[in-house]
Amino acid sequence: MQTVKDYFGSLVFDDRVMKSTLPADVYASLRKTIDEGKELDLNVANAVAAAMKDWAISKGATHFTHWFQPMTGITAEKHDSFITPSPDGGVIMEFSGKELIKGEPDASSFPSGGLRATFEARGYTAWDPTSYAFIKGKTLCIPTAFCSYDGHALDKKTPLLRSMEALNKQALRVLRLFGHDDVKCVRSYVGPEQEYFLITKEMYDRRPDIRITGRTLFGSKPPKGQEMEDHYFASIKPRVAAFMEELNEELWKLGILAKTEHNEVAPAQHELAPIYSTTNIATDHNQLTMEIMQKVASKHGLVVLFHEKPFAGLNGSGKHNNWSIATDKGQNLLSPGETPHENVQFLLFLCAVIKAVDDYQDLLRISVATAGNDHRLGANEAPPAVVSIFLGDELTAVLEAIESGTPYQGREKTYMKLGVDVLPKFPRDNTDRNRTSPFAFTGNKFEFRMLGSSNSIACANIMINSSVAEALRVFADRLESAENFESTLHDLIRETIRNHKRIIFNGNGYDENWIKEATEKRGLLNYRTTPDCLPHLLDKKNVEMLTRHGVYTEAELKSRYEIMMENYCKTVIIEANTMVDIAKTQIAPAVEAYAADVAKAAAAKKALDTALACTFETNLVRKLSSLTDRIDAKVEELSNALLALYNVEDVGEKGAMIRDTVLNLMGELRLACDEAETLTSRSYWPFPTYADLLFSVR
Ligand code: ADP
Ligand code: MG
């Protein structure tokens, strides 16, 4: 029998395959490109392409594609076959180094936010050799970056790779000051935990709102929701288990380190976590994981919902981005060390993250801003829209002691003399001690919890990497020019704690009082919605920082603002139109039909016996009738609000109008419809209810 060990990575052109199929000099040269970013020469590329093609064909592949991540948030591919006609009327299978390195998809229909006018359709994709090629179906997929011809990034991978490079550069500067001359490279690592809902295909097909928008736009609360909390970590139902089993196999073949699955808090909600890898590979793998999940689900008659808030009144789905930085020597820079020397270094990197998160709260909020995620952030289950850091009581106490120069009141009372004392041991994983913090330290990594379940993790990591790179740059500038390294270092750590401690909060992030304290006393930002936060992407301090590190050009930032805001507007407008349509053509007629039949029944009863009061029928018909009137009125108001958006050119203005009017009207229309649902006979209701959806998978 084949074991996992036999097939793990069998569809990946990974290091093992490269080593065994490439000539030694080609392999060495490719490794240099992968490890050190050295440019690849065309002869090497040709040799790699030939080996890749032979390997892919031996695995049944007939096509190849440059696989990239445009600003739509999903992945894109255009398939070309390997075949080239031969003079004898047959074909030969060809794939050149040129085709490996560069592609030219017709890029005109991908969003570019004005970067590339549609008539200038040409964009190109460029191979990212740091992420292995893999086979999907019959296609060899080559991970690539996607740029316009004048070099602007049109995708999410390019800025991500740039942000990793920025972090590498600044972290190396700091490490040199600590005497680490042997370290060649510093990388950020991520393990993204993915939450999702699973419903049956049959239920999915019968819910037009889910089919069109990914979430329920209507639906009254089921008699049983998540209040019993009996789903969390409960045993997995056979059908779900079968799905997970096949999913694991498919992911393992692709070299994706799927590690844990469990049930989440809401019924029908689950989570999958991989073992962490470098940020760009984790990003590629997360995109691929979502795609494969949907494919495998469909084989099991299931559908995966990645929407951040598919069901009102139930927990939504997020993605926990576990982030750390480590050297090529394997040292995790966010891990408290064994010696005083290591600990000062740890404290400095910790301070860099604290400063970064405080200085760039807005960018972190922006990096997770979508219409879907707005339903989640700030609701009573996900981190609030206010960004803060959880450090745990012990580490916080250490920092306070350092700042004030007072004894540290830990297990033993000690003065913390930087560079002399060993830090006390912190509990390794305090994840469960605080699940309400947006940015939690969990022993040797940070967990950024604000990401929505459908988000690409690229955006969040671009912002984390860049803002930490910026903090390290400021530190390195000061330390490199210091006359006395030790004392400057000491001052720097103390000052950073003093200036940025407002961002540290170990309490309950769901608490209303916290939001008050955060905004009123501490001056932290609270951008509740996407239209609130997005414009700040173009704030001077943010543009300066991101361009300084070469992560984005100013033009790219403007285009991202346009794309993200437009995406927000389009998403809500589609939802609103879908609501209007369903309310008008399905819900109102159903309620009306039921009311008419109830009235008919009452009339029939009265015909039998005029003395019958028919109070039940009369009251019900009155209520239903007033509800259909309300539905009609709200449909009208919402349609008018949507019409008013047509003439608005500026996306920012449009977004604000949607936030201020459209969303409220959608809420009101839903309320009327949901109330009608509770009064209408089930046999008249046009689609499955929440209970049907949530308990459909057995
Ligand atoms: P939980 O948060 O559920 O307690 P873990 O903390 O073990 O579980 O891991 C959650 C995720 O964090 C996993 O994807 C894991 O691979 C990842 N992770 C663990 N260590 C690191 C690290 N040093 N850097 C980045 N991610 C990590
Ligand atoms: Mg976790």
Side-chain angles (χ1 to χ4, degrees), residues 116 124 131 223 244 250 265 289 339 461 497 544 590 596 610 689:
R116 178 187 26 63
Y124 71 91
S131 182
M244 286 177 173
E250 292 305 313
V265 177
T289 299
T339 65
N461 287 297
I497 299 170
E544 269 175 12
T610 47
T689 63

Side-chain angles (χ1 to χ4, degrees), residues 71-74 156 213 215 290 306-309 317-319 362-378 385 450-457 459-460 527-534 560-561 563-572 575 655 658-659 663:
M71 292 299 298
T72 50
I74 48 171
K156 301 193 174 184
T213 70
R215 71 175 178 112
M290 292 200 284
F306 286 117
H307 194 281
E308 282 75 19
K309 193 74 179 173
S317 299
K319 199 137 41 186
D362 45 0
L363 288 181
L364 292 178
R365 172 66 184 90
I366 289 165
S367 76
V368 298
T370 59
N373 215 13
D374 279 2
H375 294 290
R376 205 180 136 254
L377 298 178
M450 288 171 84
L451 289 78
S453 45
S454 69
N455 286 170
S456 156
I457 64 168
C459 302
Y527 295 135
R528 297 186 60 93
T529 68
T530 300
D532 291 335
C533 68
L534 272 189
R560 307 246 150 186
Y561 162 75
I563 292 170
M564 287 173 78
M565 193 67 104
E566 209 170 285
N567 202 335
Y568 172 85
C569 295
K570 280 183 187 159
T571 305
V572 183
E575 288 181 350
I658 287 173
R659 173 196 60 202
L663 284 176

Side-chain angles (χ1 to χ4, degrees), residues 193 271 320 322 431 435 447 449:
E193 300 165 53
E271 181 189 292
H320 292 173
N322 294 273
T431 330
R435 311 188 112 252
E447 186 168 337
R449 301 196 177 115

Side-chain angles (χ1 to χ4, degrees), residues 602-613:
K605 276 160 109 180
K606 284 227 185 226
L608 272 179
D609 179 353
T610 47
L612 285 172

Side-chain angles (χ1 to χ4, degrees), residues 140 202 325 397 404 411 521 540 567 579 607 627 631 650:
L140 168 68
E202 191 209 341
I325 20 180
S404 58
R411 267 159 290 196
K521 287 214 189 97
K540 192 160 167 268
N567 202 335
M579 275 193 104
L627 279 170
I631 292 171
D650 181 78

Side-chain angles (χ1 to χ4, degrees), residues 287-568:
Q287 291 298 131
L288 207 50
T289 299
M290 292 200 284
E291 190 184 323
I292 305 290
M293 277 168 98
Q294 204 59 279
K295 248 185 218 156
V296 173
S298 122
K299 281 196 184 159
H300 290 255
L302 301 169
V303 175
V304 181
L305 304 182
F306 286 117
H307 194 281
E308 282 75 19
K309 193 74 179 173
F311 302 100
L314 258 73
N315 276 6
S317 299
K319 199 137 41 186
H320 292 173
N321 190 82
N322 294 273
W323 179 92
S324 67
I325 20 180
T327 68
D328 59 337
K329 300 285 173 283
Q331 187 189 14
N332 179 349
L333 299 172
L334 294 176
S335 191
E338 300 290 333
T339 65
H341 186 71
E342 284 170 356
N343 280 324
V344 193
Q345 185 188 301
F346 159 72
L347 285 172
L348 188 67
F349 277 96
L350 181 72
C351 281
V353 177
I354 293 171
K355 175 176 163 56
V357 174
D358 188 29
D359 284 343
Y360 298 100
Q361 299 160 44
D362 45 0
L363 288 181
L364 292 178
R365 172 66 184 90
I366 289 165
S367 76
V368 298
T370 59
N373 215 13
D374 279 2
H375 294 290
R376 205 180 136 254
L377 298 178
N380 210 12
E381 96 234 13
V386 177
V387 179
S388 66
I389 295 182
F390 167 85
L391 288 182
D393 294 337
E394 231 166 340
L395 190 50
T396 307
V398 170
L399 295 191
E400 277 167 1
I402 293 170
E403 187 213 341
S404 58
T406 51
Y408 163 63
Q409 308 275 5
R411 267 159 290 196
E412 296 148 35
K413 194 165 162 174
T414 48
Y415 276 94
M416 292 297 304
K417 281 211 212 75
L418 289 177
V420 182
D421 286 332
V422 178
L423 287 178
K425 286 264 171 289
F426 307 110
R428 252 273 166 147
D429 193 347
N430 2 15
T431 330
D432 284 334
R433 287 214 262 148
N434 190 320
R435 311 188 112 252
T436 64
S437 174
F439 210 97
F441 184 66
T442 52
N444 62 355
K445 63 185 190 292
F446 279 94
E447 186 168 337
F448 183 35
R449 301 196 177 115
M450 288 171 84
L451 289 78
S453 45
S454 69
N455 286 170
S456 156
I457 64 168
C459 302
N461 287 297
I462 292 168
M463 294 312 178
I464 301 174
N465 289 342
S466 308
S467 41
V468 173
E470 170 64 6
L472 291 171
R473 179 192 71 86
V474 173
F475 289 179
D477 279 356
R478 181 145 159 215
L479 291 169
E480 280 169 359
S481 59
E483 272 172 30
N484 182 332
F485 178 72
E486 296 292 327
S487 74
T488 310
L489 179 61
H490 195 165
D491 292 348
L492 183 58
I493 290 177
R494 277 178 92 160
E495 273 173 42
T496 309
I497 299 170
R498 183 165 308 144
N499 294 339
H500 298 286
K501 64 180 174 193
R502 64 169 187 165
I503 197 79
I504 298 166
F505 175 65
N506 294 327
N508 179 2
Y510 297 173
D511 193 343
E512 265 307 308
N513 290 330
W514 158 238
I515 306 299
K516 245 174 102 92
E517 179 187 328
T519 52
E520 289 170 16
K521 287 214 189 97
R522 302 197 187 196
L524 298 179
L525 300 171
N526 183 17
Y527 295 135
R528 297 186 60 93
T529 68
T530 300
D532 291 335
C533 68
L534 272 189
H536 297 285
L537 181 62
L538 301 177
D539 284 359
K540 192 160 167 268
K541 79 171 208 333
N542 294 334
V543 175
E544 269 175 12
M545 186 277 276
L546 291 164
T547 53
R548 171 181 297 130
H549 292 279
V551 176
Y552 288 110
T553 63
E554 193 167 351
E556 283 168 358
L557 283 170
K558 284 193 178 135
S559 89
R560 307 246 150 186
Y561 162 75
E562 291 278 328
I563 292 170
M564 287 173 78
M565 193 67 104
E566 209 170 285
N567 202 335
Y568 172 85

